[in-house]
Amino acid sequence: MLTFTDVSLDYGSFRALHEVNLQINEGELVVLLGANGAGKSSIFNAASALRRISGGQIRLKDTDLARMKPADVVRAGVIQCPEGRKLFPGMSVQKNLMLGAYLHRGDKAGNRSRLEQILELFPMLTDRLNDPAGALSGGQQQMVAIGRALMSRPRVLLLDEPSLGLAPLVVKQMFDVIQHINRAGTTVLLAEQNAHAALQICDRAYVVEGGRVVLEGTYESLSGNEAMRRAYVGG
């Protein structure tokens, strides 16, 4: 579904990604694990064409994403929910959600149905639709950010650090929802520092260090790796 082949990315003279190879198959939930600054967000920004790669290829099936503009990547169905949520705090929750439906603004019935599905996923947003997004708790704001991404009808959903700064109970709820989204048919690439929680819901994981993929495997293989457990999982 989504393939990185020898992808490098530079920020000026700094090389953020070094010949990264990834493969996310249709219907999978794949996790990128790594510390802050490891290169996870750079991988997402390369996939979204927010940063031009210095070498390699990024393909969505047969489509070359690296040569596209960011808006065309969204039209192709690769939708990023960014780290830090990036909501419009003074706008209502509903308006923030509907921004995700911009490409489908002519399909009013479809957007209503999609909004209803999102409110089923996040029922606590139902009574907050008219409230400013900035008045919500961190967990509720993350729900809005994910909901906005889902309104775009993604083929591949890129979730960048959705658990960051959230209470443990909210993190569990968030991961349950992400697993539900995947089981409903959306391919998910999830970037996370919370390795223990992420590994329990994923099909496979890649470990990123210094802009390089250093490990790949399933929960069983990675949690059994001594170096991996010390660095990311604990115990």
Side-chain angles (χ1 to χ4, degrees):
M1 188 70 164
L2 182 65
T3 307
F4 277 55
T5 306
D6 295 330
V7 171
S8 296
L9 185 149
D10 297 327
Y11 297 102
S13 61
F14 173 70
R15 175 142 292 189
L17 298 178
H18 301 263
E19 298 181 351
V20 167
N21 291 281
L22 302 169
Q23 181 173 308
I24 296 87
N25 299 312
E26 189 164 4
E28 278 193 311
L29 197 169
V30 175
V31 175
L32 297 179
L33 299 175
N36 189 34
K40 304 186 302 297
S41 293
S42 292
I43 289 171
F44 276 19
N45 289 336
S48 300
L50 295 171
R51 289 284 181 174
R52 291 296 175 194
I53 62 176
S54 309
Q57 283 191 331
I58 305 173
R59 304 191 74 84
L60 178 70
K61 291 196 171 178
D62 294 328
T63 302
D64 185 356
L65 298 180
R67 298 181 181 275
M68 288 184 171
K69 296 178 180 178
D72 293 327
V73 173
V74 171
R75 290 187 181 92
V78 178
I79 309 299
Q80 182 177 165
C81 180
E83 180 182 350
R85 302 182 276 272
K86 304 294 192 295
L87 301 179
F88 291 88
M91 290 173 55
S92 71
V93 167
Q94 182 160 345
K95 287 184 177 179
N96 271 278
L97 290 169
M98 295 309 295
L99 282 173
Y102 179 78
L103 290 178
H104 310 285
R105 56 195 182 279
D107 183 11
K108 294 184 179 180
N111 288 334
R112 280 196 299 271
S113 175
R114 195 76 174 174
L115 180 60
E116 289 171 2
Q117 292 171 21
I118 289 163
L119 294 178
E120 287 177 7
L121 275 179
F122 303 117
M124 65 180 61
L125 295 181
T126 303
D127 295 330
R128 306 298 302 269
L129 286 175
N130 295 319
D131 294 347
L136 272 58
S137 68
Q140 291 169 338
Q141 288 185 25
Q142 187 63 61
M143 294 173 192
V144 176
I146 294 175
R148 178 183 59 191
L150 292 175
M151 289 297 296
S152 298
R153 309 180 192 183
R155 297 171 66 190
V156 180
L157 177 62
L158 309 178
L159 290 172
D160 197 357
E161 302 285 3
S163 73
L164 193 65
L166 303 183
L169 181 60
V170 180
V171 170
K172 184 184 183 308
Q173 293 171 346
M174 202 63 64
F175 277 94
D176 287 345
V177 166
I178 292 167
Q179 195 169 31
H180 176 85
I181 291 167
N182 175 245
R183 287 175 175 171
T186 301
T187 303
V188 177
L189 180 60
L190 168 66
E192 260 298 332
Q193 292 185 55
N194 189 338
H196 183 73
L199 282 171
Q200 293 185 58
I201 67 168
C202 73
D203 296 300
R204 292 182 298 113
Y206 292 92
V207 179
V208 184
E209 282 185 6
R212 294 177 171 87
V213 174
V214 296
L215 284 172
E216 174 194 357
T218 61
Y219 171 75
E220 290 79 10
S221 64
L222 291 179
S223 60
N225 181 295
E226 184 62 29
M228 167 71 186
R229 189 166 68 247
R230 285 199 310 268
Y232 297 103
V233 183

